[in-house]
Structure formats: C-alpha cells, structure tokens
Amino acid sequence: MRSSGRNSNRNYRGAGNSRDDRQRRAGRPRPEERRYGQGGGPGGGAKKKRTAPARSREYDAQLEERNRARHDKPAVRLPKTFGEAEGERLQKVLARAGLGSRRACEELIDQGRVEVNGKVVHSQGRRVDPEKDEIKVDGLTVATQSHLFFALNKPAGVVSSMEDPDGRQCLGDYVQNRETRLFHVGRLDTETEGLILLTNHGELAHRLTHPRYGVTKTYLAAIQGPIPRDLGKRLKDGVPLEDGYARADHFRVVENTGKNYLVEVTLHEGRKHIVRRMLAEVGFPVDKLVRTGFGPIVLGDQKSGWLRRMTNTEVGRLMKEVGL
C-alpha cells in the first residue's frame, strides 16, 4: 500500500499538470520566490529609471556646429538711440560748477534760467559737452571745470610775471603746484599792490586787457594834499602825457586826515604806470598805490599775498563784460 502511495505521488508531481509547473511554464515565479521592495509591489525594489537613447556622432557634431555659429556671430551694432548717450547731464555740469546741489540745479532748469547755446532749456535730462556748449545761468556764462580762474592780492615787491630770470619773487611763486599753465591778466608795477587775475583761459585774458573792450580798473592812491576841488574834473577831462592823453572815468576822495588823502581813481586805460603818471602830472605824486577792482571783480577784504579761486558768478560777470 505504501509503495503504491509513493508511486502515485511521484506520478502526480511528474504529470506536468501541477500549479507550480504551470506557473513555471508561464514565466511567473512561485509565490515563495517572489520578492517585494519597499514600495510594496513585486519586482524586487524601486522602479528603474529610463535612460535616454544614445545620440549618434553626426547629431553631436551638428549641435557643436550650431553652438559655435551662435557664439561666433559679430556683435550687433545698436542704433545710437539705444547706445550710451553722449555728454553729461546738464544738472551735473551746473552742480560741478558750484551752482548748488543737483536738485537745486534741476530747479534752475525748471524755472527757465538756464540756456544752452542761446536757447532756454525747459526739460530735465538734457546732455551737454562742457568743452563745446555755451552754458549760461541768468545770462552769465558757466565756467567749465577745465578752466581755472584765480584772484591774487599781490604784495609790494612782487614782479608781475610768471617767472623772473633775476630770481625775484614773482606771480609764478603763488601757483607752483598747478598742473596747467596760468596767465596773468594785465600787469602791476613792482611797488603797486592789489588785485591781479590769473587764468588759463587765453581768450578771456586777451579780451580783458585789450583796449577795445574797455574793462575798467579801480585804484586807491595815497597822496599829499591839500588838493583842489577841480582835481577830479581835470583827471576826467584828460591829462597830457608823453604818449598821449589819459582820462579817468571816475574820481573821488575816500579819506582825508590832515594833508594825507586817500583817493579813488577808476579808468579803462592799460598803459604802464598810468595812474602814477597822471597824478604826478597834475602835481600829486603817489606815495602808495593799490588796485582794488578789475571790472566786476573787487579785492574786498582779501589779505595781501592771498590767492583765492574765483566764484562761478564772478567768472560769468567777467565773461559778460567782454562778450564771451
């Protein structure tokens, strides 16, 4: 009975109709052979990522050529409108010239007080070239940064030249540290004190000293009196000198202490020693002479030997005086 049982069992397994044989033939693992990953599904773990198909060499070469052609293109030249604007903003130029903050200069433009090349500017954002454009505020020319303007109270004994071959003290000694060359406007004799202008604006220096423009100079002269009442009239009518008549534009007595008189003489003459020669000709030699004014520029309380930079308003008045 047992042998027949074993044979029957062996015949049953080898019959090929068992569930395990059917699953094996279908390519499916038996339940005990299945593995489950962390995701809970069959297959032995997480899903595999799909990989991109390999590209051909011809396709890679085409991509490289395309990228190279894109980067090798010449730079596109944009229209001038889209490029960097030329010049500087007008309010920036005005602020640098000393007319106030940029906000204050914008208000000057809004008020219609600023002109560029003879035309009033009404809108913000105007760009200018300080070296080429003529800029005016309230009718006065604005000095550009490249031009320098100084006023010196020249002491007695200083030679009115930028250099002196004899080694005497001269005007150049007061501006040795300047990078640009300066010109002295007019001259004062060695013993005369007072206001003398220095600049690197050649055209302005030329016009200020040219007789055609008639820029006035004012002097204080110390003389000994008493002086007649008609002295001013005689000077205004003209005093004959060896090189022609010389006339004063204005004369007045500033101070009188005993025989000591301090008189003011204004004239547009530019000849050498003109004030000393005129007063000596009418009988009153000068003991001391100081120039206190040159056109619209005044000496004021500036100390002897002091050099100061002129304000933009002063420069504008000077330029207006000679038509610049």
Side-chain angles (χ1 to χ4, degrees):
M1 294 293 292
R2 293 181 180 176
S3 60
S4 61
R6 283 195 299 269
N7 292 336
S8 62
N9 189 27
R10 188 180 298 114
N11 292 336
Y12 174 77
R13 292 181 181 176
N17 56 359
S18 66
R19 186 176 62 179
D20 293 343
D21 291 339
R22 288 195 301 269
Q23 290 179 350
R24 193 176 293 111
R25 284 196 300 268
R28 290 178 297 179
R30 293 186 300 177
E32 63 271 16
E33 294 177 348
R34 294 176 183 173
R35 296 180 180 178
Y36 295 88
Q38 295 179 356
K47 295 182 179 179
K48 296 183 180 179
K49 295 182 180 179
R50 295 182 179 180
T51 58
R55 295 183 303 197
S56 64
R57 293 183 178 180
E58 291 79 5
Y59 184 71
D60 287 339
Q62 290 178 2
L63 286 179
E64 185 177 354
E65 289 294 334
R66 192 181 307 166
N67 292 334
R68 186 177 302 171
R70 184 174 66 235
H71 290 292
D72 289 345
K73 286 183 179 180
V76 179
R77 293 187 177 181
L78 298 176
K80 193 173 183 179
T81 307
F82 298 97
E84 185 178 355
E86 296 181 356
E88 296 181 78
R89 290 188 178 274
L90 180 57
Q91 60 265 36
K92 181 179 178 181
V93 176
L94 296 176
R96 190 174 65 238
L99 292 172
S101 65
R102 292 192 187 183
R103 178 57 187 162
C105 294
E106 290 175 356
E107 293 179 359
L108 292 177
I109 297 173
D110 291 336
Q111 295 167 5
R113 298 167 60 185
V114 183
E115 298 178 20
V116 177
N117 298 328
K119 296 182 179 180
V120 178
V121 179
H122 296 285
S123 58
Q124 302 293 337
R126 173 70 181 272
R127 289 185 175 269
V128 296
D129 185 349
E131 299 296 331
K132 298 179 181 179
D133 295 325
E134 184 184 44
I135 306 170
K136 292 185 177 182
V137 176
D138 296 335
L140 301 178
T141 303
V142 174
T144 60
Q145 190 179 28
S146 60
H147 289 137
L148 301 175
F149 307 89
F150 295 96
L152 171 68
N153 186 354
K154 185 187 87 67
V158 176
V159 181
S160 292
S161 63
M162 303 309 293
E163 295 180 359
D164 185 69
D166 298 329
R168 294 173 296 178
Q169 189 176 12
C170 62
L171 300 176
D173 296 333
Y174 293 89
V175 291
Q176 286 181 347
N177 57 340
R178 304 294 168 186
E179 296 181 359
T180 183
R181 181 184 178 188
L182 298 174
F183 308 94
H184 56 90
V185 182
R187 301 177 66 89
L188 288 175
D189 60 82
T190 306
E191 296 307 317
T192 299
E193 307 174 30
L195 182 64
I196 192 165
L197 308 182
L198 302 168
T199 182
N200 60 347
H201 196 304
E203 181 62 22
L204 177 63
H206 169 71
R207 294 194 182 193
L208 288 174
T209 55
H210 198 283
R212 172 186 172 186
Y213 298 96
V215 180
T216 59
K217 296 92 176 173
T218 302
Y219 297 83
L220 285 178
I223 60 177
Q224 296 293 317
I227 62 175
R229 291 185 177 181
D230 64 343
L231 178 59
K233 183 177 183 304
R234 291 172 61 187
L235 294 173
K236 293 178 184 178
D237 290 341
V239 178
L241 302 175
E242 57 185 12
D243 53 353
Y245 272 81
R247 294 178 175 83
D249 297 320
H250 178 73
F251 174 86
R252 71 185 181 99
V253 177
V254 177
E255 186 178 309
N256 172 221
T257 305
K259 293 184 178 182
N260 298 318
Y261 283 80
L262 189 64
V263 298
E264 182 181 81
V265 182
T266 301
L267 69 168
H268 58 271
E269 289 275 358
R271 285 179 279 177
K272 188 176 182 180
H273 305 307
I274 188 66
V275 176
R276 293 181 183 272
R277 291 163 60 196
M278 288 177 65
L279 290 173
E281 184 65 26
V282 295
F284 299 95
V286 174
D287 296 330
K288 184 178 180 180
L289 187 63
V290 179
R291 182 157 69 187
T292 58
F294 196 118
I297 311 303
V298 296
L299 186 63
D301 57 356
Q302 185 174 343
K303 296 182 180 180
S304 179
W306 281 34
L307 179 78
R308 69 173 180 87
R309 189 159 187 167
M310 295 167 57
T311 66
N312 186 75
T313 302
E314 290 177 316
V315 175
R317 289 175 179 170
L318 269 181
M319 291 187 172
K320 186 176 182 180
E321 187 86 6
V322 294
L324 287 176

